[in-house]
Amino acid sequence: MARISFILKDPNSKIATPILYTLTYSGQRVKSTTKQKIKPSAWNKNSKSIKKNRTEYNFVQEELDRIEIIIKSTIADLKKKYNGLPNKNELKNILTTRLFKEDRNLSEMSFWTYFEDFKNKLENKKNTRTGKPISKGTKCSYNQTFNHLKNFERSTGNTVSFLTLSNELYDNLIEYLEKELNLSSNTIGKHIKNIKSLINNAKLERGVQLPLSYQEKYWRVHKREKTANEIVFLSEKELTELEELDLSNNHTMDKARDVLLLGSWTGLRISDIFRIRRENIDLERNVIKIRVEKTDRLVVTPIHPITLKILKKHNFSTPAISAQKVNENIKLVCKEIETLNNEITISELKGGQLKEIKYQRFDRVSTHTGRRSFASNMYRRKVPIQQIMAVTGHKKEKDFFKYIGISKEELSEGLSELFNEWYK
């Protein structure tokens, strides 16, 4: 419950001293000027108001009454609209504006109304860079962020609104995502990135005024780069073993295996693998030409003998299976390969702590493993990096090396091998 009181800045002053108001709420305290002054002798310490016999200060008491009414009204407006109050700095800013300047409009668009509107617009919105519709994955990501924020409000009592954005809210949200939901640092980073994108859109498109307590740089994106040992890819030997498995009795696993192999020998993302049609296949030049969905860039990738075998098997198209089914089944397929049952240790930031978790390699295989396998195997085949990057779309070599999990030791070993060849 909010408590309003008035105090003298210097109760022992021999001359008129400023009157301050104090507002206490939710463990926070706002203290600011009323722009009024009186002599301490005219102040009733018990009632914290002007003494009744000091009629020369009636106009001051009237102003204090006005200030109290406006503070109470502002608090009621804020609670009704936002189901809570902002931090003390933002509340002080709002009260100062309402008390002594033009009335601050508290009817700004609700954060949740804007978020709902933002999600709905994604259905028909196009990527400004590629001109393509927003991907299903991006829409799903924003839905997850929305739901996590709603649950954060319910579980913690924090109010999420444009008015209550603050560094403190960010800290509370991070603590909730880490400790309550046990999300990894990279997943948390994805949600923070979505929230910041939403806030920036609201500011640019709707002119939403953000509070002083929101500092964009403080809302940093959590991300942890994988080490070379944590990156899983399938070697050419493992891919051959995978291709030779007899899955004729399980059509779903067979299709999932074929999709993984296509990614591993073409370097294409799964979204582009699903779009391969007969017109994309140039058998004379032995290449697949396709304009990739993510960047709208034309990619030309060679056709490996296993790729050709799979394309023929599916009538020069891709297997009819969903990405979800592929992810579910390729782990089961990869479990059949002996070396993919080896253990690896992954460091994950969960609940605010870095934990080492053991997995079997097949558990870490996903639809993206194929593309990573292509890049890793081609590099180890000593294919020029620029040629591999032309397929994967990487623009910087340092990003490419992180992607395939090449350590500094391996880079040095590669140079040593060249020296041995050159200077025998």
Side-chain angles (χ1 to χ4, degrees), residues 86-291:
N87 67 41
K88 62 181 182 180
N89 293 328
E90 182 60 19
L91 183 54
K92 182 178 178 179
N93 181 43
I94 292 169
L95 290 174
T96 299
T97 305
R98 275 204 150 188
L99 289 170
F100 307 117
K101 300 177 185 178
E102 292 182 5
D103 191 18
R104 175 161 175 163
N105 181 13
L106 294 178
S107 62
E108 293 102 335
M109 173 174 280
S110 156
F111 178 89
W112 297 110
T113 301
Y114 184 78
F115 206 150
E116 286 283 8
D117 188 50
F118 182 88
K119 289 196 302 168
N120 291 336
K121 283 185 176 179
L122 287 180
E123 294 300 323
N124 301 311
K125 198 171 182 179
K126 291 186 178 181
N127 187 309
T128 53
R129 185 179 59 190
T130 65
K132 300 283 185 179
I134 299 296
S135 70
K136 185 177 179 181
T138 298
K139 296 173 192 173
C140 181
S141 174
Y142 275 102
N143 277 323
Q144 289 174 347
T145 302
F146 182 91
N147 292 331
H148 283 327
L149 279 176
K150 273 291 186 186
N151 291 330
F152 166 67
E153 267 200 335
R154 296 189 193 101
S155 300
T156 67
N158 284 271
T159 300
V160 181
S161 72
F162 289 121
L163 190 66
T164 58
L165 292 173
S166 66
N167 298 345
E168 182 183 0
L169 182 73
Y170 168 85
D171 290 338
N172 292 340
L173 177 60
I174 294 298
E175 183 178 10
Y176 170 77
L177 295 175
E178 286 180 344
K179 295 183 178 178
E180 296 298 322
L181 301 190
N182 204 29
L183 299 183
S184 69
S185 59
N186 286 356
T187 301
I188 291 172
K190 175 189 71 174
H191 293 304
I192 295 299
K193 183 179 178 183
N194 287 346
I195 294 168
K196 290 179 73 172
S197 176
L198 178 87
I199 292 169
N200 287 332
N201 269 277
K203 185 169 65 173
L204 293 172
E205 292 181 359
R206 302 291 182 88
V208 171
Q209 295 296 310
L210 300 178
L212 298 175
S213 53
Y214 171 69
Q215 296 171 11
E216 186 177 5
K217 288 184 179 179
Y218 191 88
W219 287 57
R220 59 196 178 278
V221 173
H222 286 234
K223 192 173 183 181
R224 192 187 72 81
E225 297 290 347
K226 291 181 180 178
T227 65
N229 295 330
E230 295 174 337
I231 292 174
V232 172
F233 71 93
L234 276 61
S235 68
E236 290 195 26
K237 183 176 180 297
E238 289 167 336
L239 290 173
T240 300
E241 289 181 47
L242 195 67
E243 193 265 333
E244 291 174 351
L245 286 176
D246 182 7
L247 300 174
S248 55
N249 291 328
N250 191 319
H251 295 305
T252 303
M253 288 176 67
D254 182 57
K255 290 176 182 178
R257 182 264 311 273
D258 287 353
V259 170
L260 179 60
L261 287 173
L262 284 174
S264 300
W265 290 116
T266 64
L268 296 174
R269 296 180 181 85
I270 188 169
S271 57
D272 298 314
I273 291 171
F274 284 147
R275 293 169 52 243
I276 295 175
R277 298 293 181 266
R278 183 65 182 86
E279 56 267 26
N280 301 118
I281 302 165
D282 186 341
L283 292 178
E284 288 186 13
R285 295 179 59 198
N286 204 41
V287 295
I288 295 173
K289 301 177 192 176
I290 191 165
R291 192 166 289 281

Side-chain angles (χ1 to χ4, degrees), residues 310-360:
I310 294 171
L311 290 173
K312 285 181 177 178
K313 176 180 173 181
H314 296 280
N315 196 26
F316 290 97
S317 187
T318 46
I321 184 173
S322 69
Q324 182 180 346
K325 287 292 183 185
V326 173
N327 262 326
E328 289 172 0
N329 285 273
I330 54 176
K331 290 176 173 56
L332 301 175
V333 177
C334 288
K335 192 176 181 180
E336 300 298 315
I337 308 300
E338 184 179 352
T339 52
L340 293 179
N341 282 268
N342 294 340
E343 273 193 349
I344 57 171
T345 301
I346 305 290
S347 296
E348 295 182 353
L349 187 64
K350 288 195 172 184
Q353 296 181 334
L354 194 64
K355 299 178 181 178
E356 290 193 342
I357 304 172
K358 293 189 181 296
Y359 292 96
Q360 288 173 288

Side-chain angles (χ1 to χ4, degrees), residues 299-313:
V299 164
V300 180
T301 185
I303 297 176
H304 186 275
I306 292 178
T307 303
L308 182 59
K309 185 177 177 180
I310 294 171
L311 290 173
K312 285 181 177 178
K313 176 180 173 181

Side-chain angles (χ1 to χ4, degrees), residues 376-392:
S376 300
N377 290 325
M378 292 304 103
Y379 175 80
R380 287 167 175 83
R381 279 273 191 180
K382 294 185 170 49
V383 174
I385 294 173
Q386 289 76 11
Q387 285 185 267
I388 307 172
M389 289 169 61
V391 175
T392 62

